[in-house]
Amino acid sequence: MAKISASVYTSHVPAIGAAIDLKKTGEAYWQPLFAGYEYSKQWMKENTPDVIFLVYNDHATAFSLDLIPTFAIGTGAEFIPADEGYGPRPVPKVIGHPELASHIAQSVIQDDFDLTIVNKMEVDHGLTVPLSLMCGEPEAWPCPVIPFAVNVVQYPVPSGRRCFQLGQAIRKAIESYDEDLKVQIWGTGGMSHQLQGARAGLLNREWDNAFLDRMIADPADLANMPHIDYVREAGSEGIELVMWLIARGAMSDVNGGPAPTVRHRFYHIPASNTAVGHLILENN
């Protein structure tokens, strides 16, 4: 049966994608950030999964304020990079895994989580920037990807507790799939940042690193953090971090297994006007 081998957590700042696409990764401003992902790219080559389940948020490309699903799973065969106003990123199209995605949808919905099924959609920087950071600039992404979009743009957004519980349901679904697949689950977005208002440009290094500590050591307690704490301490867009709890909830230790191995941890300020956090946790 399928197994979750690891979880990956990373910010998905759009300016990172632009730096890659415009060949600016070696510039003095960007070099320290990309250096933090060199280990990750090598790790990814050595630990390429059969499928990536990638949790991210759409930025008004696949969805708009006319239609806002709380949780949406991409069940299509492929997903094209979106034009976010400056043309699509020059990255490969995303190949999906309709069979596993449909199985997860069936299992999770029967487990009382209401998902929106999306057979066709475009994917934006929320999904493609993490792939670029972990995989570099290949002609094709190294494996199929199941996009899983979460609404963290328009309130009400799901609680951290609900996201953590959903991760547990996703692990259960993956492990009931009758094929020997190695699956990674990625949580993306964050860390501290605010894009508008009197606190625009807010960054909180101390809070971010405490969040990483708790993500590793005590995710069940972290899942109880209320939305107001994210907004107060990490800025209005810091709420994206609830998506990391989906990936963390899918790890084996949450279901009574051994603690995961922290394979890599990285933090950097700033990237554009955002704090960047990154973790790789391997199941044991």
Side-chain angles (χ1 to χ4, degrees):
M1 64 184 181
K3 287 285 189 181
I4 294 175
S5 59
S7 54
V8 173
Y9 311 80
T10 183
S11 305
H12 60 212
V13 186
I16 293 175
I20 295 170
D21 301 341
L22 298 173
K23 311 300 181 187
K24 294 186 175 184
T25 59
E27 293 185 359
Y29 179 85
W30 288 109
Q31 196 279 330
L33 182 141
F34 289 104
Y37 285 85
E38 285 302 311
Y39 174 90
S40 306
K41 289 191 289 186
Q42 185 60 39
W43 176 88
M44 189 66 182
K45 290 178 181 177
E46 297 171 358
N47 297 273
T48 303
D50 298 304
V51 186
I52 295 168
F53 187 94
L54 201 155
V55 183
Y56 74 109
N57 65 288
D58 178 73
H59 301 80
T61 53
F63 311 112
S64 71
L65 294 182
D66 295 333
L67 176 63
I68 310 170
T70 301
F71 300 117
I73 186 167
T75 54
E78 63 180 35
F79 306 92
I80 304 301
D83 183 348
E84 300 182 61
Y86 41 84
R89 288 194 63 214
V91 296
K93 67 182 177 182
V94 172
I95 303 302
H97 198 298
E99 296 82 10
L100 178 57
S102 297
H103 171 83
I104 292 171
Q106 165 74 16
S107 177
V108 169
I109 290 172
Q110 290 300 309
D111 227 356
D112 299 331
F113 289 86
D114 300 321
L115 305 187
T116 299
I117 309 300
V118 186
N119 293 313
K120 182 180 180 180
M121 66 176 175
E122 296 181 347
V123 290
D124 65 17
H125 72 269
L127 184 139
T128 64
V129 166
L131 286 171
S132 294
L133 284 168
M134 295 295 297
C135 307
E137 299 179 84
E139 292 186 5
W141 300 123
C143 66
V145 177
I146 298 173
F148 192 85
V150 180
N151 170 39
V152 288
V153 174
Q154 175 66 54
Y155 278 86
V157 305
S159 68
R161 182 175 62 255
R162 190 61 168 165
C163 289
F164 190 61
Q165 293 168 344
L166 176 56
Q168 295 171 61
I170 291 168
R171 176 197 53 77
K172 176 182 172 184
I174 289 171
E175 291 184 350
S176 67
Y177 187 67
D178 192 19
E179 186 178 343
D180 187 19
L181 295 177
K182 183 171 64 176
V183 180
Q184 289 179 9
I185 182 166
W186 294 14
T188 73
M191 295 190 84
S192 62
H193 64 301
Q194 178 151 331
L195 303 180
Q196 69 288 307
R199 298 198 306 164
L202 178 148
L203 300 172
N204 191 337
R205 181 190 297 270
E206 182 178 357
W207 189 90
D208 286 340
N209 278 286
F211 185 93
L212 292 173
D213 291 340
R214 296 176 71 188
M215 177 66 63
I216 295 166
D218 196 0
D221 181 66
L222 179 59
N224 292 318
M225 183 187 296
H227 285 158
I228 190 62
D229 286 9
Y230 287 91
V231 176
R232 180 187 297 116
E233 301 294 340
S236 53
E237 279 68 43
I239 193 62
E240 291 179 352
L241 286 167
V242 297
M243 296 188 291
W244 290 31
L245 288 163
I246 296 177
R248 189 63 181 89
M251 295 295 282
S252 296
D253 64 315
V254 174
N255 193 44
T261 297
V262 181
R263 190 56 63 191
H264 186 51
R265 175 172 174 168
F266 174 66
Y267 183 79
H268 178 75
I269 282 182
S272 183
N273 56 353
T274 304
V276 170
H278 176 40
L279 284 174
I280 297 175
L281 303 182
E282 292 181 352
N283 260 333
N284 290 307

